[in-house]
Amino acid sequence: MTAFQRLILRANDSRSRAANAITLRSLITLFEGCLLVALGVRLLQAGGLLVSGTAGMSLLGSDLTGLSFGSLFFLINLPFYGLAWKQLGLNFTLRTLGCVSLLSVLTDLLAVSLPLGDVNLPVVAIAAGLLIGLGVTLLFRENASLGGLNILALDLERRFAIHAGRTTFAFDLLLIALAALVYPWPQVICSALAFATLSFVLGRYHRRTPQGSDASTTAQDDGRQVQAAH
């Protein structure tokens, strides 16, 4: 190996460490993303609506079991961390674990501290979809997610160039079918509106990583690639 090649390797290694470093800006952005999602979830709770992914599964489970959204959301996400570590790297996994834990706490706090009365279901659906979509986009940009289906969606995006918004929309259809068995039709229709709004926001603001990127390379340099994609 020549001296020039060694210099290039050291430079690449430094860039990888910089991309994975947690900065104050990263922490603030992650907190902002989690807070936006928590506010969206609170609106959904007030309207008895669902949203996509593990958040929707947790809302449905909370209505059926009486357990808090935060507790169920944290538990449902546990099986997905192995996939995150294997396919997307330790840095992504730790950031996602932190965001899932923070959102679990924030949603339960807002459920107590932010009481809401009667709400307009279509307005709540659109507002919640916007808030959650923007929040998730911020997390994606900082090499994190809210676990569960977000992890699977990003993994499929990096490996097969399938846009994360399309993957989540496919899971949304399945969740809507389950909701139709439990909720009245007005809530099902407005939940579908929240799903569509969320999918639109992700499709508009989250651009997929370059096609054909190697999964291991992406996992090592996730922060730089995700931020550069935006």
Side-chain angles (χ1 to χ4, degrees), residues 59-73:
L59 285 167
L60 179 60
S62 180
D63 288 341
L64 294 177
T65 65
L67 297 175
S68 72
F69 169 89
S71 300
L72 284 173
F73 185 69

PDB file of all heavy atoms in Angstrom, residues 59-73:
ATOM      1  N   LEU A  59     -51.103   2.227  19.089  1.00  0.00           N
ATOM      2  CA  LEU A  59     -52.374   2.901  19.342  1.00  0.00           C
ATOM      3  C   LEU A  59     -53.524   1.904  19.376  1.00  0.00           C
ATOM      4  O   LEU A  59     -54.395   1.973  20.250  1.00  0.00           O
ATOM      5  CB  LEU A  59     -52.617   3.952  18.260  1.00  0.00           C
ATOM      6  CG  LEU A  59     -51.790   5.234  18.352  1.00  0.00           C
ATOM      7  CD1 LEU A  59     -51.895   6.031  17.065  1.00  0.00           C
ATOM      8  CD2 LEU A  59     -52.244   6.081  19.537  1.00  0.00           C
ATOM      9  N   LEU A  60     -53.519   0.977  18.427  1.00  0.00           N
ATOM     10  CA  LEU A  60     -54.559  -0.055  18.393  1.00  0.00           C
ATOM     11  C   LEU A  60     -54.490  -0.930  19.637  1.00  0.00           C
ATOM     12  O   LEU A  60     -55.507  -1.215  20.277  1.00  0.00           O
ATOM     13  CB  LEU A  60     -54.396  -0.904  17.137  1.00  0.00           C
ATOM     14  CG  LEU A  60     -55.385  -2.059  16.939  1.00  0.00           C
ATOM     15  CD1 LEU A  60     -56.815  -1.537  16.865  1.00  0.00           C
ATOM     16  CD2 LEU A  60     -55.042  -2.854  15.679  1.00  0.00           C
ATOM     17  N   GLY A  61     -53.288  -1.358  20.005  1.00  0.00           N
ATOM     18  CA  GLY A  61     -53.123  -2.189  21.194  1.00  0.00           C
ATOM     19  C   GLY A  61     -53.513  -1.467  22.464  1.00  0.00           C
ATOM     20  O   GLY A  61     -54.084  -2.063  23.393  1.00  0.00           O
ATOM     21  N   SER A  62     -53.223  -0.157  22.510  1.00  0.00           N
ATOM     22  CA  SER A  62     -53.593   0.625  23.690  1.00  0.00           C
ATOM     23  C   SER A  62     -55.102   0.698  23.859  1.00  0.00           C
ATOM     24  O   SER A  62     -55.632   0.576  24.979  1.00  0.00           O
ATOM     25  CB  SER A  62     -53.006   2.039  23.571  1.00  0.00           C
ATOM     26  OG  SER A  62     -53.339   2.822  24.695  1.00  0.00           O
ATOM     27  N   ASP A  63     -55.823   0.877  22.750  1.00  0.00           N
ATOM     28  CA  ASP A  63     -57.287   0.924  22.820  1.00  0.00           C
ATOM     29  C   ASP A  63     -57.878  -0.425  23.224  1.00  0.00           C
ATOM     30  O   ASP A  63     -58.899  -0.482  23.923  1.00  0.00           O
ATOM     31  CB  ASP A  63     -57.860   1.345  21.466  1.00  0.00           C
ATOM     32  CG  ASP A  63     -57.621   2.816  21.166  1.00  0.00           C
ATOM     33  OD1 ASP A  63     -57.346   3.579  22.114  1.00  0.00           O
ATOM     34  OD2 ASP A  63     -57.698   3.200  19.982  1.00  0.00           O
ATOM     35  N   LEU A  64     -57.236  -1.503  22.799  1.00  0.00           N
ATOM     36  CA  LEU A  64     -57.788  -2.842  23.063  1.00  0.00           C
ATOM     37  C   LEU A  64     -57.430  -3.362  24.448  1.00  0.00           C
ATOM     38  O   LEU A  64     -58.196  -4.124  25.047  1.00  0.00           O
ATOM     39  CB  LEU A  64     -57.291  -3.827  22.002  1.00  0.00           C
ATOM     40  CG  LEU A  64     -57.788  -3.589  20.569  1.00  0.00           C
ATOM     41  CD1 LEU A  64     -57.171  -4.597  19.617  1.00  0.00           C
ATOM     42  CD2 LEU A  64     -59.317  -3.658  20.503  1.00  0.00           C
ATOM     43  N   THR A  65     -56.256  -2.965  24.973  1.00  0.00           N
ATOM     44  CA  THR A  65     -55.770  -3.530  26.229  1.00  0.00           C
ATOM     45  C   THR A  65     -55.809  -2.564  27.412  1.00  0.00           C
ATOM     46  O   THR A  65     -55.766  -3.002  28.561  1.00  0.00           O
ATOM     47  CB  THR A  65     -54.319  -4.017  26.067  1.00  0.00           C
ATOM     48  OG1 THR A  65     -53.459  -2.894  25.818  1.00  0.00           O
ATOM     49  CG2 THR A  65     -54.218  -5.012  24.915  1.00  0.00           C
ATOM     50  N   GLY A  66     -55.850  -1.260  27.123  1.00  0.00           N
ATOM     51  CA  GLY A  66     -55.811  -0.287  28.202  1.00  0.00           C
ATOM     52  C   GLY A  66     -54.415   0.074  28.658  1.00  0.00           C
ATOM     53  O   GLY A  66     -54.249   0.932  29.527  1.00  0.00           O
ATOM     54  N   LEU A  67     -53.386  -0.557  28.092  1.00  0.00           N
ATOM     55  CA  LEU A  67     -52.015  -0.204  28.413  1.00  0.00           C
ATOM     56  C   LEU A  67     -51.646   1.117  27.750  1.00  0.00           C
ATOM     57  O   LEU A  67     -52.252   1.514  26.748  1.00  0.00           O
ATOM     58  CB  LEU A  67     -51.062  -1.304  27.956  1.00  0.00           C
ATOM     59  CG  LEU A  67     -51.236  -2.672  28.611  1.00  0.00           C
ATOM     60  CD1 LEU A  67     -50.297  -3.689  27.963  1.00  0.00           C
ATOM     61  CD2 LEU A  67     -50.968  -2.589  30.104  1.00  0.00           C
ATOM     62  N   SER A  68     -50.649   1.797  28.280  1.00  0.00           N
ATOM     63  CA  SER A  68     -50.265   3.087  27.714  1.00  0.00           C
ATOM     64  C   SER A  68     -49.585   2.901  26.364  1.00  0.00           C
ATOM     65  O   SER A  68     -48.947   1.872  26.101  1.00  0.00           O
ATOM     66  CB  SER A  68     -49.317   3.833  28.668  1.00  0.00           C
ATOM     67  OG  SER A  68     -48.037   3.232  28.676  1.00  0.00           O
ATOM     68  N   PHE A  69     -49.735   3.918  25.518  1.00  0.00           N
ATOM     69  CA  PHE A  69     -49.090   3.881  24.209  1.00  0.00           C
ATOM     70  C   PHE A  69     -47.584   3.739  24.354  1.00  0.00           C
ATOM     71  O   PHE A  69     -46.951   2.947  23.646  1.00  0.00           O
ATOM     72  CB  PHE A  69     -49.417   5.167  23.429  1.00  0.00           C
ATOM     73  CG  PHE A  69     -48.592   5.330  22.184  1.00  0.00           C
ATOM     74  CD1 PHE A  69     -49.021   4.791  20.985  1.00  0.00           C
ATOM     75  CD2 PHE A  69     -47.383   6.021  22.216  1.00  0.00           C
ATOM     76  CE1 PHE A  69     -48.261   4.936  19.833  1.00  0.00           C
ATOM     77  CE2 PHE A  69     -46.612   6.176  21.067  1.00  0.00           C
ATOM     78  CZ  PHE A  69     -47.051   5.623  19.872  1.00  0.00           C
ATOM     79  N   GLY A  70     -47.001   4.516  25.273  1.00  0.00           N
ATOM     80  CA  GLY A  70     -45.543   4.501  25.433  1.00  0.00           C
ATOM     81  C   GLY A  70     -45.003   3.125  25.784  1.00  0.00           C
ATOM     82  O   GLY A  70     -44.000   2.685  25.230  1.00  0.00           O
ATOM     83  N   SER A  71     -45.676   2.430  26.699  1.00  0.00           N
ATOM     84  CA  SER A  71     -45.218   1.096  27.099  1.00  0.00           C
ATOM     85  C   SER A  71     -45.287   0.119  25.939  1.00  0.00           C
ATOM     86  O   SER A  71     -44.342  -0.639  25.681  1.00  0.00           O
ATOM     87  CB  SER A  71     -46.064   0.581  28.266  1.00  0.00           C
ATOM     88  OG  SER A  71     -45.966   1.442  29.380  1.00  0.00           O
ATOM     89  N   LEU A  72     -46.415   0.113  25.234  1.00  0.00           N
ATOM     90  CA  LEU A  72     -46.574  -0.810  24.108  1.00  0.00           C
ATOM     91  C   LEU A  72     -45.598  -0.476  22.980  1.00  0.00           C
ATOM     92  O   LEU A  72     -45.027  -1.370  22.361  1.00  0.00           O
ATOM     93  CB  LEU A  72     -48.010  -0.746  23.583  1.00  0.00           C
ATOM     94  CG  LEU A  72     -49.061  -1.459  24.434  1.00  0.00           C
ATOM     95  CD1 LEU A  72     -50.463  -1.178  23.905  1.00  0.00           C
ATOM     96  CD2 LEU A  72     -48.798  -2.957  24.460  1.00  0.00           C
ATOM     97  N   PHE A  73     -45.411   0.802  22.698  1.00  0.00           N
ATOM     98  CA  PHE A  73     -44.512   1.215  21.626  1.00  0.00           C
ATOM     99  C   PHE A  73     -43.088   0.745  21.894  1.00  0.00           C
ATOM    100  O   PHE A  73     -42.400   0.238  20.998  1.00  0.00           O
ATOM    101  CB  PHE A  73     -44.551   2.734  21.478  1.00  0.00           C
ATOM    102  CG  PHE A  73     -43.752   3.261  20.325  1.00  0.00           C
ATOM    103  CD1 PHE A  73     -44.160   3.029  19.021  1.00  0.00           C
ATOM    104  CD2 PHE A  73     -42.600   3.990  20.535  1.00  0.00           C
ATOM    105  CE1 PHE A  73     -43.430   3.519  17.949  1.00  0.00           C
ATOM    106  CE2 PHE A  73     -41.861   4.480  19.483  1.00  0.00           C
ATOM    107  CZ  PHE A  73     -42.277   4.244  18.173  1.00  0.00           C
TER     108      PHE A  73
END
